[in-house]
Amino acid sequence: MRNKAFLTFLFILITGLGYSQDQKVINIWDEIPESIKAKDYTEEVKYTEDNVPNRVSKVSKPTLTVFLPEKKYNEKRPAILICPGGGYSHLSINKEGYKIAKWLNSIGIAAFVLKYRIPSNQIMKDKKIGPLQDAQRAIRVIRKNAENWNINTEKVGVIGFSAGGHLAATLSTQYNKKVYNFDENISAKPDFSILLYPVISMEDTYTHKGSQTHLLGENPSEALKKEFTSSYQINSQTPPAFLVHAIDDQAVPVENSIEYFKSLKKENVAVELHLYEKGGHGFGMGNNELTKQWTEACEKWLLVNNILPNKKVYLFSYFKGNGEDGLHYAYSMDGYTWKALNNDASFLTPVVGESKLMRDPCIIRGRDGNFHMVWTCGWTEKGIGYASSPDLIHWSKQQYFPVMETEEKARNCWAPEITYDAKQDLYLIYWATTIEGKYPETQSKEESGYNHRMYYTTTKNFKEFSATELLYEPGFNVIDATVVSKNGQYVMFLKDETREPAAKNIRIAFADTVTGPYGNAGKPITGNYWAEGPTTAQIDGDWIVYFDKYIDKKYGAVKSSDLKKWTDISDEVTFPKGMRHGSVIEISIEEFNKNFSGDD
């Protein structure tokens, strides 16, 4: 029976798991093909303690639950159809459905949880193709509505778990199989597949017996078993796959994933297989330190295969403790979730200065293509540290720049930064210093009498430098400045270090040239907490300023589209534990994969 062209939209309210208030649920069929009406066949749902559907059985009306990323993107996004597992007897719709959708949304992917019909002779004329009918139809529905959902129709994939993995693999290999009549000229082929502990084989050797029986019946023929064993159906047109399995899986043997991997490899189809020593079956987002790694590995796979459209990675250089162990990195694909690289171990150990510290590392990419870094090398030094690198991994010999040696009463050189000025083709290096006896009107008895102002030098080659000069005297104790350009102007984010009465906040000043003069600092852009070490990045049209809430021992952030109205987004960002301030730069995904491919 031909289905009608229009869709029926049903809106329901779903609670828990941070769902948006009006979660959309779509009936994918107007008329379900080859269905049988059975009055006594009623859907059964078990709920979590939070009243979220957890386990669904006796599904007779298949639906898609739509999860769109909360963040707005200019470019069209990838989409993934989610097929929960359950041995073809029920659907584990929370663990292997809704939770997966929220993770996919967090990395910028539109997600669609498929509540497919459980194979049943009571409601289907041919139960073995019922789930495949729903899966094919779901892919076509997603592509049909791509414009409304801001979806790239050439990046629509499928993810499946256990028996849902069998359905996803069947869809990936039998997308052209005519299992229902349709009018739309829309492909049901997934562009890629992600399969977790999937049932691939329906042959007795490696199958999951419950899935085999529920789908094919009590005594299926050998020909039928082979037809629904996905590894036999692979050809050169099969979509690329990402496979995850635990070796100790006692329900669905790991050989299922291995056979699918081998068949894809034989046909020269791109495939990546992750096997974990322990994890058992049905671990969803992960149930131990091993299996929890699959989501990050999958995200990298999506990036490498150009499925996720991110062309850049945000890299945060920072220090920990007192800075004695050196340079640390965290990365983020969206500027909100930051993950430590190298197991949060140091990439570079400091060797210059009396104290041999590496605090406040600031890195920029220079006009020469190399990365240039300066840092605080001690609490009472009259100079700063410097090194350069072609790849952020291999650094030049560390140097000590004695930028305040001519000032006899200089007490320190703290939080140095670099800004490249294309107008003058030079680098501005600037830092905070207290010079004893200067600016007594703003000196406090607190905090050892430090009373900073911003100083600078310029260079074109990091070999010859201009004489040190005053960069900014705002009329208060100032530290932790960072300068960026915007539409021909220069924007300085800075910390008001005033102690009596305590300010300890981030403010902004503007100038027409990189060396100033900078105007009066505006009102604080941070809230009722002590903040320091600002660094900024432009992400999706917004300015995001990150800062160290050093009293609270955590990081925060504010964002603005116009540098005037600021919103505190501290509750939306996550950072490695113990991270202290540094700087953010952008690198390409190719650079990231090349230089940090072995890092977790």
Side-chain angles (χ1 to χ4, degrees):
M1 185 178 295
R2 293 182 182 273
N3 60 284
K4 294 184 179 179
F6 66 89
L7 300 175
T8 302
F9 291 93
L10 172 66
F11 295 89
I12 64 173
L13 180 68
I14 297 180
T15 59
L17 290 175
Y19 294 159
S20 61
Q21 206 169 21
D22 294 311
Q23 198 67 50
K24 184 183 292 184
V25 176
I26 298 171
N27 293 322
I28 64 173
W29 300 104
D30 183 61
E31 294 182 15
I32 301 173
E34 300 181 321
S35 63
I36 300 172
K37 291 184 179 180
K39 292 182 179 180
D40 297 332
Y41 196 88
T42 305
E43 184 171 300
E44 298 176 355
V45 183
K46 293 184 178 179
Y47 293 87
T48 67
E49 292 180 356
D50 299 326
N51 202 35
V52 176
N54 189 42
R55 177 184 170 120
V56 183
S57 56
K58 291 190 174 181
V59 177
S60 59
K61 293 184 179 180
T63 64
L64 279 180
T65 304
V66 182
F67 290 79
L68 302 179
E70 293 181 8
K71 185 178 174 184
K72 302 301 180 184
Y73 293 90
N74 294 325
E75 72 276 17
K76 294 187 181 299
R77 306 306 295 174
I80 293 182
L81 176 69
I82 304 172
C83 301
Y88 282 128
S89 68
H90 66 276
L91 303 181
S92 183
I93 204 160
N94 184 26
K95 180 176 66 173
E96 296 172 351
Y98 304 146
K99 289 185 177 181
I100 302 301
K102 296 304 291 183
W103 164 66
L104 291 172
N105 281 178
S106 76
I107 60 174
I109 296 176
F112 301 83
V113 179
L114 177 60
K115 187 173 72 173
Y116 55 90
R117 288 171 293 158
I118 304 303
S120 171
N121 291 323
Q122 286 182 262
I123 61 169
M124 300 173 183
K125 292 181 181 179
D126 185 353
K127 72 173 186 176
K128 65 181 180 294
I129 64 169
L132 181 58
Q133 289 173 326
D134 295 345
Q136 283 191 7
R137 176 65 179 158
I139 290 286
R140 291 188 172 108
V141 167
I142 292 168
R143 287 198 168 107
K144 185 180 180 71
N145 290 273
E147 194 65 32
N148 293 332
W149 293 326
N150 195 36
I151 286 170
N152 185 335
T153 57
E154 296 180 355
K155 294 183 178 180
V156 178
V158 63
I159 184 171
F161 301 77
S162 192
H166 181 268
L167 177 56
T170 304
L171 176 65
S172 298
T173 55
Q174 300 190 42
Y175 51 84
N176 275 334
K177 187 173 184 177
K178 193 71 175 291
V179 292
Y180 73 94
N181 294 322
F182 55 91
D183 296 322
E184 307 101 321
N185 186 25
I186 301 175
S187 173
K189 179 182 177 180
D191 294 302
F192 58 93
S193 63
I194 302 168
L195 308 177
L196 283 94
Y197 37 89
V199 178
I200 296 296
S201 177
M202 281 290 155
E203 295 184 310
D204 295 335
T205 307
Y206 298 132
T207 194
H208 175 252
K209 191 63 179 176
S211 297
Q212 182 199 64
T213 300
H214 286 116
L215 184 67
L216 304 182
E218 289 291 343
N219 297 296
S221 67
E222 292 302 316
L224 193 59
K225 293 176 188 176
K226 190 170 184 177
E227 179 184 349
F228 283 86
T229 296
S230 296
S231 55
Y232 290 138
Q233 312 306 323
I234 288 172
N235 57 41
S236 61
Q237 301 305 306
T238 303
F242 180 89
L243 300 162
V244 179
H245 220 120
I247 296 172
D248 66 346
D249 191 330
Q250 299 299 308
V252 178
V254 69
E255 284 77 9
N256 281 268
S257 287
I258 292 173
E259 289 302 313
Y260 198 79
F261 169 83
K262 288 165 61 178
S263 296
L264 287 171
K265 185 173 180 293
K266 183 178 179 181
E267 294 293 336
N268 294 315
V269 176
V271 60
E272 187 168 311
L273 171 62
H274 290 257
L275 299 180
Y276 296 110
E277 181 183 359
K278 297 184 183 300
H281 188 72
F283 50 76
M285 291 284 288
N287 59 4
N288 59 42
E289 291 305 311
L290 290 173
T291 55
K292 287 178 181 178
Q293 298 176 31
W294 80 261
T295 54
E296 186 173 348
C298 184
E299 182 179 351
K300 287 185 177 180
W301 181 80
L302 292 166
L303 285 162
V304 168
N305 285 276
N306 199 32
I307 296 165
L308 272 174
N310 300 66
K311 298 298 182 183
K312 57 192 173 186
V313 179
Y314 302 99
L315 192 73
F316 208 127
S317 58
Y318 64 97
F319 75 98
K320 299 190 71 172
N322 194 31
E324 60 275 5
D325 74 334
L327 175 65
H328 293 253
Y329 292 135
Y331 78 97
S332 176
M333 300 301 177
D334 61 4
Y336 286 75
T337 301
W338 295 87
K339 300 175 183 178
L341 288 167
N342 197 30
N343 294 317
D344 211 9
S346 171
F347 281 81
L348 181 66
T349 303
V351 297
V352 298
E354 293 182 9
S355 301
K356 293 182 174 55
L357 301 180
M358 190 172 281
R359 297 173 62 89
D360 324 307
C362 172
I363 300 175
I364 68 163
R365 192 197 300 269
R367 69 174 182 275
D368 57 0
N370 288 326
F371 298 95
H372 300 272
M373 177 172 63
V374 291
W375 65 89
T376 304
C377 53
W379 289 97
T380 59
E381 309 280 351
K382 290 189 176 184
I384 60 176
Y386 167 80
S388 65
S389 171
D391 57 8
L392 297 163
I393 304 295
H394 304 93
W395 289 90
S396 66
K397 181 179 179 181
Q398 296 174 38
Q399 299 179 59
Y400 177 85
F401 290 167
V403 292
M404 293 301 289
E405 288 290 346
T406 58
E407 287 286 348
E408 182 180 350
K409 294 185 178 181
R411 295 182 58 184
N412 62 325
C413 291
W414 286 357
E417 298 242 350
I418 313 176
T419 297
Y420 174 66
D421 180 30
K423 287 183 180 179
Q424 302 179 65
D425 186 27
L426 57 76
Y427 298 93
L428 179 78
I429 303 176
Y430 46 104
W431 62 92
T433 290
T434 290
I435 299 177
E436 290 184 6
K438 279 207 169 188
Y439 312 109
E441 67 279 7
T442 60
Q443 184 170 338
S444 169
K445 294 180 182 179
E446 301 286 340
E447 297 178 337
S448 303
Y450 280 111
N451 189 26
H452 310 284
R453 297 300 187 270
M454 299 304 304
Y455 296 86
Y456 79 94
T457 182
T458 62
T459 182
K460 290 181 177 290
N461 53 20
F462 297 96
K463 296 177 181 177
E464 299 170 323
F465 302 88
S466 66
T468 295
E469 297 184 56
L470 180 68
L471 178 63
Y472 192 44
E473 201 294 273
F476 53 80
N477 187 354
V478 60
I479 193 172
D480 293 351
T482 185
V483 175
V484 296
S485 61
K486 177 184 180 291
N487 298 331
Q489 256 194 329
Y490 296 87
V491 186
M492 178 186 287
F493 299 92
L494 56 101
K495 180 191 178 185
D496 184 344
E497 183 73 331
T498 301
R499 182 64 179 89
E500 297 178 20
K504 305 291 186 178
N505 50 48
I506 308 302
R507 301 168 70 176
I508 306 176
F510 297 88
D512 293 327
T513 63
V514 72
T515 54
Y518 287 84
N520 294 331
K523 295 180 180 179
I525 65 173
T526 50
N528 189 26
Y529 41 76
W530 287 15
E532 68 180 19
T535 186
T536 186
Q538 280 191 280
I539 301 174
D540 291 331
D542 289 323
W543 291 84
I544 297 184
V545 177
Y546 308 96
F547 46 84
D548 191 347
K549 292 185 177 182
Y550 59 105
I551 298 298
D552 298 334
K553 299 187 185 306
K554 60 183 180 180
Y555 248 76
V558 293
K559 78 174 181 179
S560 172
S561 60
D562 58 8
L563 297 178
K564 295 176 182 178
K565 185 178 179 181
W566 293 87
T567 302
D568 196 307
I569 58 169
S570 297
D571 292 339
E572 300 177 37
V573 292
T574 58
F575 295 90
K577 186 177 181 181
M579 175 174 162
R580 299 300 310 280
H581 61 263
S583 62
V584 174
I585 59 171
E586 294 178 8
I587 61 174
S588 69
I589 187 64
E590 292 78 14
E591 287 176 301
F592 180 76
N593 289 327
K594 178 180 178 181
N595 299 331
F596 300 102
S597 60
D599 291 314
D600 297 322

